[in-house]
Amino acid sequence: MSDLNVLFISIDSLRRDMLGAYESPFDWVTEMDVKTPNLDRFAEKAITFDNHYAGSLPCMPARREWDTGIQEFPWRGWGPIEAYDTTLAEKARNAGVLTKLITDHFHLFQHGSSGYYEDYHGFEFVRGHEDDLWKTQPYGADETLLQQVGYDLDNDPAETSTEVTDPAANPDHVRDPYDLEQYRPRWKYVRNVAGFDDQTDFFAAKVFSKAAGWLHDNTDWDQWLLRIDEFDVHEPFHCPEPYASMYTDKDPRDPDLPVWPYYGRTDKGQAALTDRELAFLRSQFAGKVTMADNWLGQVFNELDEQELWNETAVIITSDHGFLLGEHGWIGKMSPDFDLVAQTPLFVWHPDSDQPGTTIESLTSAVDLHETVLDLLGAETDTETHSKSLLPIIEGETTQHRDWALYGWWHSDINITDGTHTYMVPIQEDVPLYNYSTMQMSAQSPFTPTDGYEGAESGQFLPYTDASVWKQQYPSMSLVRKPRLYDTDADPTQSENIVSESPSVKTEMDDLLHEALNNMAVPDEVYEQYGLGE
């Protein structure tokens, strides 16, 4: 096999159960029948991985796994590429491969992020998604959309305090849309998209069109890595037509119907939603899925026209899913049910003898780092947590992993053996630390660095001699007590069997201990999850 080009595509927040290649155990998804013809067509020729799990959540921790092959969520949160890291783009360029990044994922460029784009030979950034700090005009923003993204316009800005309130401490507080002390105001999105007329103005259209154009213009290079990081299907779920009306009979411009939910329980607090509001959010999420799929088709068409399929490996995946009322939650900051943690993965390899097949082997997001390098013929690194999928893709083996570990730093930890999922609460009375070479606000990464009083510096990590900052933060459990699910028998994860299956719980405890040992976690991590070293 000659070394291949690699097209590595991530579509943010893409739920696998909305794709034709995967089944959904939830009736509302089946009844909605979300249209994804391009991904369905791709799945017919690619290998579909049916037991693929996220690792470090959410967005930037996931990308750090893809970029570095390091899985760090038990001891490190949202943050930069570290000084001791060697990125995917750097390894590829050291192997003589041209590298390009095309993205609308503005978190790559925010406070708390660095090193995610600098190693590419070229990058293009489509501005304006979510609360990208881009436009400040028009001052008089679209009032309907302001209400749909979560503002209460009955509050008179002149009478509203400009004090920045912590939404976690006061979740029912509605911020003034003209409060200039905020670092992440939702009014940014409303101004950013002012003047958008049709779907060609929206983000998936721009990113995938630019990627198709790049494929058309860069055929002279011997070998390349094209990284497409598409921030849709991420909220706000603000869709142009025809997608906004595709899965609902409601008026998509009704100011009482939200397009940007707050994370949390759907039955109380700031995230509370009526059945009507929740149904509308589901329809707009589905509309975004179909919109992203439609514009992804342009990339596939260019691969067809340039006859690139026979010399290009294509990987399509997502960082995580999104709860849309299941289990009583909205968003991704929730217990890590499979709707969040079990992600889609499709791989096209021109030399594989398994096109159109489904692989049941347990795989993890961190494995994509070594997989891309293997496909490029670039040097891989045995010191990472990543394990190449190429032996499975080429049919040399069917066994890959005994466990996959996933979760959020500062919260609960989860492990699966491919049949059971096990959620273990973090002990909030045990000290929690974040380790990084950079001083940062680990629990508020989008704001200036703050709160580093008492930080220690030293060589605390097992895979680097670099000195890092060790800073204590509070932790937060969302499950409180262990949860165990048999996902074969109970794919909706509706029955916690931890009490009636003590032997399985013991096996999963042992597996979690094995995983943490394998990762050489800092000593306090065992205590945080109630395990002995």
Side-chain angles (χ1 to χ4, degrees):
M1 180 196 72
S2 60
D3 297 336
L4 297 167
N5 304 315
V6 175
L7 173 55
F8 180 10
I9 303 171
S10 58
I11 302 174
D12 200 290
S13 306
L14 182 65
R15 277 179 50 151
R16 58 176 251 157
D17 71 330
M18 289 191 171
L19 309 179
Y22 294 99
E23 294 182 356
S24 179
F26 296 94
D27 291 341
W28 76 264
V29 178
T30 304
E31 292 167 0
M32 188 169 284
D33 189 23
V34 182
K35 306 300 182 185
T36 55
N38 289 299
L39 281 167
D40 295 350
R41 175 169 65 97
F42 181 69
E44 290 176 359
K45 65 188 298 181
I47 297 170
T48 299
F49 286 78
D50 196 39
N51 223 354
H52 186 67
Y53 276 81
S56 301
L57 298 169
C59 302
M60 295 311 294
R63 281 153 184 79
R64 189 161 183 276
E65 287 197 9
W66 295 334
D67 278 351
T68 70
I70 301 295
Q71 185 175 74
E72 287 188 317
F73 78 88
W75 63 91
R76 183 185 183 279
W78 186 300
I81 298 294
E82 299 286 5
Y84 51 77
D85 289 329
T86 307
T87 64
L88 188 63
E90 182 180 353
K91 291 176 182 178
R93 70 153 61 210
N94 289 343
V97 178
L98 178 76
T99 59
K100 176 75 173 186
L101 169 68
I102 301 176
T103 186
D104 59 339
H105 195 130
F106 71 103
H107 291 316
L108 296 168
F109 307 89
Q110 274 191 303
H111 274 302
S113 297
S114 64
Y116 288 93
Y117 63 90
E118 292 90 338
D119 289 333
Y120 287 89
H121 289 103
F123 71 90
E124 295 186 52
F125 176 25
V126 174
R127 299 296 306 269
H129 210 309
E130 202 187 23
D131 48 36
D132 178 16
L133 303 177
W134 189 29
K135 293 185 178 180
T136 56
Q137 77 286 349
Y139 180 83
D142 181 334
E143 291 192 355
T144 295
L145 189 54
L146 271 177
Q147 293 177 77
Q148 289 189 293
V149 302
Y151 283 112
D152 181 2
L153 298 184
D154 292 334
N155 289 337
D156 183 351
E159 298 177 0
T160 304
S161 169
T162 59
E163 179 183 358
V164 177
T165 303
D166 178 3
N170 188 2
D172 295 315
H173 176 71
V174 178
R175 287 175 167 175
D176 165 20
Y178 300 96
D179 178 355
L180 297 182
E181 293 185 32
Q182 299 176 53
Y183 273 86
R184 302 198 65 199
R186 291 187 171 205
W187 60 256
K188 291 301 304 182
Y189 179 82
V190 180
R191 286 168 171 81
N192 287 344
V193 302
F196 281 23
D197 293 323
D198 60 37
Q199 61 176 300
T200 60
D201 294 318
F202 280 74
F203 305 102
K206 291 178 179 177
V207 169
F208 288 126
S209 294
K210 285 181 179 292
W214 188 91
L215 290 171
H216 182 273
D217 294 339
N218 284 269
T219 57
D220 291 339
W221 294 99
D222 290 335
Q223 190 183 15
W224 47 261
L225 165 64
L226 174 58
R227 175 78 176 90
I228 304 175
D229 190 346
E230 172 48 50
F231 198 45
D232 277 340
V233 181
H234 198 285
E235 69 272 16
F237 307 131
H238 173 226
C239 296
E241 296 294 355
Y243 312 104
S245 298
M246 192 170 287
Y247 301 105
T248 183
D249 57 3
K250 303 295 188 292
D251 177 5
R253 295 288 290 161
D254 182 339
D256 293 330
L257 293 174
V259 297
W260 195 344
Y262 290 92
Y263 294 169
R265 296 286 309 179
T266 57
D267 58 352
K268 60 183 178 181
Q270 189 179 41
L273 294 164
T274 65
D275 290 344
R276 181 173 182 266
E277 291 170 333
L278 184 57
F280 181 73
L281 280 168
R282 289 170 170 174
S283 74
Q284 300 310 288
F285 186 97
K288 271 207 164 184
V289 171
T290 299
M291 179 171 65
D293 177 87
N294 177 59
W295 288 96
L296 175 61
Q298 287 208 1
V299 175
F300 292 159
N301 291 341
E302 198 60 42
L303 290 172
D304 291 337
E305 290 185 19
Q306 299 297 327
E307 299 181 349
L308 290 169
W309 289 105
N310 288 334
E311 56 194 66
T312 304
V314 182
I315 297 171
I316 301 178
T317 192
S318 185
D319 49 359
H320 51 72
F322 196 92
L323 292 176
L324 289 163
E326 299 87 358
H327 308 287
W329 290 84
I330 187 79
K332 60 200 176 196
M333 186 56 188
S334 66
D336 291 317
F337 293 103
D338 277 3
L339 282 173
V340 172
Q342 194 177 30
T343 53
L345 175 62
F346 306 101
V347 179
W348 159 255
H349 188 303
D351 296 329
S352 173
D353 61 359
Q354 306 180 80
T357 60
T358 297
I359 287 179
E360 303 291 340
S361 304
L362 181 62
T363 60
S364 178
V366 73
D367 296 332
L368 296 181
H369 178 83
E370 294 291 308
T371 303
V372 171
L373 293 173
D374 236 356
L375 291 165
L376 292 170
E379 182 178 350
T380 58
D381 187 348
T382 56
E383 296 303 315
T384 69
H385 299 129
S386 184
K387 185 178 180 182
S388 175
L389 302 177
L390 202 56
I392 301 180
I393 293 168
E394 295 183 337
E396 297 175 5
T397 183
T398 58
Q399 178 61 30
H400 185 70
R401 281 184 171 271
D402 295 326
W403 49 265
L405 199 67
Y406 53 99
W408 295 60
W409 171 78
H410 85 271
S411 194
D412 312 310
I413 200 167
N414 312 269
I415 194 166
T416 180
D417 61 1
T419 300
H420 297 88
T421 54
Y422 184 43
M423 303 177 179
V424 179
I426 196 167
Q427 308 299 307
E428 294 180 350
D429 58 344
V430 176
L432 169 76
Y433 298 97
N434 182 81
Y435 297 85
S436 176
T437 58
M438 294 180 64
Q439 292 193 357
M440 59 185 183
S441 302
Q443 286 183 327
S444 183
F446 308 113
T447 60
T449 302
D450 185 31
Y452 250 74
E453 296 83 3
E456 300 177 58
S457 178
Q459 296 176 339
F460 300 118
L461 299 179
Y463 46 79
T464 177
D465 293 331
S467 291
V468 296
W469 291 104
K470 176 183 179 182
Q471 172 68 20
Q472 186 172 350
Y473 287 90
S475 57
M476 178 181 66
S477 176
L478 293 172
V479 298
R480 303 298 175 183
K481 295 181 180 180
R483 299 186 187 185
L484 176 66
Y485 299 99
D486 181 342
T487 50
D488 281 350
D490 177 24
T492 61
Q493 295 175 293
S494 57
E495 183 179 358
N496 180 6
I497 61 171
V498 71
S499 297
E500 61 201 65
S501 303
S503 62
V504 178
K505 179 185 181 298
T506 298
E507 291 173 3
M508 298 303 288
D509 278 326
D510 291 343
L511 198 62
L512 177 57
H513 197 279
E514 176 188 330
L516 296 179
N517 285 347
N518 180 274
M519 295 175 67
V521 301
D523 292 343
E524 74 272 3
V525 173
Y526 296 94
E527 188 179 358
Q528 285 166 3
Y529 299 109
L531 301 168
E533 293 183 34

